[in-house]
Amino acid sequence: MSEEPRIPVAPDEETEIPESHPRHESLLARHRIEEGVEKGITSLQGLIAQGRGEAYDYLLGERTIESADAAARAAAAHFLLADHPVISVNGNVAALCPSAVVDLAEATGADIEVNLFNRTDERMAAIAEHLHEHGASEVKGLAADAEIPGLDHARATVDADGIHAADVVLVPLEDGDRAAALDAMGKTEIVIDLNPFSRSPQVADVPIVDNLVRAIPTMAEHARELRDRPCENLKTIVEGFDREAALAAAEGAIRSGATK
Ligand code: PTJ
């Protein structure tokens, strides 16, 4: 008698996703994004963004390539040198790695600010609460008392003492035009995006072509290793980073298909 096919279990909790599964990380990310939508944190468009990201991650071999690690190190040095670094958080970032965001803020002294494309008061509050639950002491973005000039959508709305006053802003997962607008304000933008051809990494001072679930902890790790170094040493790391070479290396990794 032939065996009944095993019916796959749909996990309710992320701990039910078997760690032995070859696609554990990917299933975990999908679960978190799905749960983010259910909790009112992630937008429905965030599901589409996740799919786009996964496709590029697959082409990159779902690993942090060497040039992305170097970019994360330069980003960490920028944050440590900054007077006022800010981590911008949207619905995908909050769902995927809230603890890593809080940890990076702790490692670098950065502010955390919620900034949304599909902005509603309910989503802003849900994301701030979620970040607090994961250990954030302060979450900006709710005051909404300043604007980024030149943007005619909700991402323009920021806090006067947050992104508006920042000198360095980390923008993980973006839809494009804000990075250019931040640049026009004279800020240094660090962008995390799996698609090296996307507009935001193309205009970023530091494009990190990596999955944000790997890039944010990598940046925190570099920050902890670098934070006692003298400023001159940090400046050398910043000046030695070549954004064009980093983008070209990511494109090369994708085109060559040399995934491991
Ligand atoms: O939460 P909101 O309202 O601010 O909405 C944010 C979304 C995600 C809807 C908005 O930023 C958006 O529409 O993004 P896009 O235009 O779909 O772009 C998403 C980019 O992020 C694409 O280039 C993806 O490759 C990339 N991406 C997706 N997931 C990840 C990622 N990059 C790094 N890590 C990921 N996990």
Side-chain angles (χ1 to χ4, degrees):
M1 204 173 77
S2 64
E3 265 186 41
E4 287 287 315
R6 281 182 64 196
I7 299 165
V9 178
D12 291 323
E13 300 292 332
E14 64 182 49
T15 48
E16 291 171 27
I17 302 168
E19 282 187 30
S20 58
H21 195 289
R23 301 209 49 75
H24 176 261
E25 294 305 314
S26 167
L27 292 177
L28 185 63
R30 288 182 174 198
H31 181 78
R32 287 187 179 178
I33 288 283
E34 215 182 313
E35 201 174 55
V37 172
E38 281 162 10
K39 285 184 174 169
I41 290 171
T42 309
S43 69
L44 281 174
Q45 288 182 17
L47 293 171
I48 299 167
Q50 169 70 17
R52 292 173 76 185
E54 277 188 15
Y56 280 97
D57 207 10
Y58 206 73
L59 294 171
L60 281 165
E62 293 171 312
R63 70 200 158 125
T64 299
I65 59 172
E66 213 177 302
S67 57
D69 184 63
R73 187 171 166 82
H78 267 294
F79 254 39
L80 294 172
L81 285 168
D83 289 327
H84 187 174
V86 176
I87 306 167
S88 180
V89 173
N90 69 9
N92 287 51
V93 179
L96 286 173
C97 55
S99 302
V101 167
V102 173
D103 185 55
L104 176 61
E106 273 171 18
T108 58
D111 276 347
I112 299 173
E113 178 161 339
V114 184
N115 179 275
L116 300 180
F117 183 71
N118 304 292
R119 185 183 177 115
T120 63
D121 291 344
E122 291 74 21
R123 280 190 71 215
M124 292 294 295
I127 293 172
E129 193 188 325
H130 187 64
L131 290 166
H132 283 306
E133 282 166 11
H134 285 82
S137 48
E138 194 188 359
V139 178
K140 293 195 165 151
L142 302 171
D145 50 359
E147 284 212 348
I148 302 172
L151 286 184
D152 56 6
H153 54 73
R155 275 197 204 277
T157 307
V158 290
D159 279 13
D161 64 351
I163 287 175
H164 200 268
D167 52 350
V168 182
V169 185
L170 171 64
V171 182
L173 203 163
E174 169 81 61
D175 65 348
D177 50 355
R178 189 173 56 136
L182 291 172
D183 188 55
M185 288 177 86
K187 301 182 193 302
T188 298
E189 337 74 63
I190 298 159
V191 166
I192 302 173
D193 196 315
L194 280 157
N195 175 4
F197 310 105
S198 174
R199 207 155 31 130
S200 12
Q202 288 286 335
V203 300
D205 294 292
V206 182
I208 307 176
V209 182
D210 198 6
N211 196 318
L212 63 93
V213 302
R214 296 189 297 268
I216 293 180
T218 303
M219 209 178 138
E221 212 174 290
H222 282 301
R224 289 206 162 89
E225 188 248 318
L226 294 174
R227 69 182 167 190
D228 296 325
R229 302 264 188 109
C231 282
E232 283 318 310
N233 192 301
L234 298 177
K235 281 182 191 155
T236 306
I237 294 170
V238 161
E239 282 156 17
F241 175 72
D242 181 342
R243 59 179 300 287
E244 301 300 336
L247 289 169
E251 181 175 344
I254 288 171
R255 288 192 190 278
S256 72
T259 55
K260 295 279 178 220

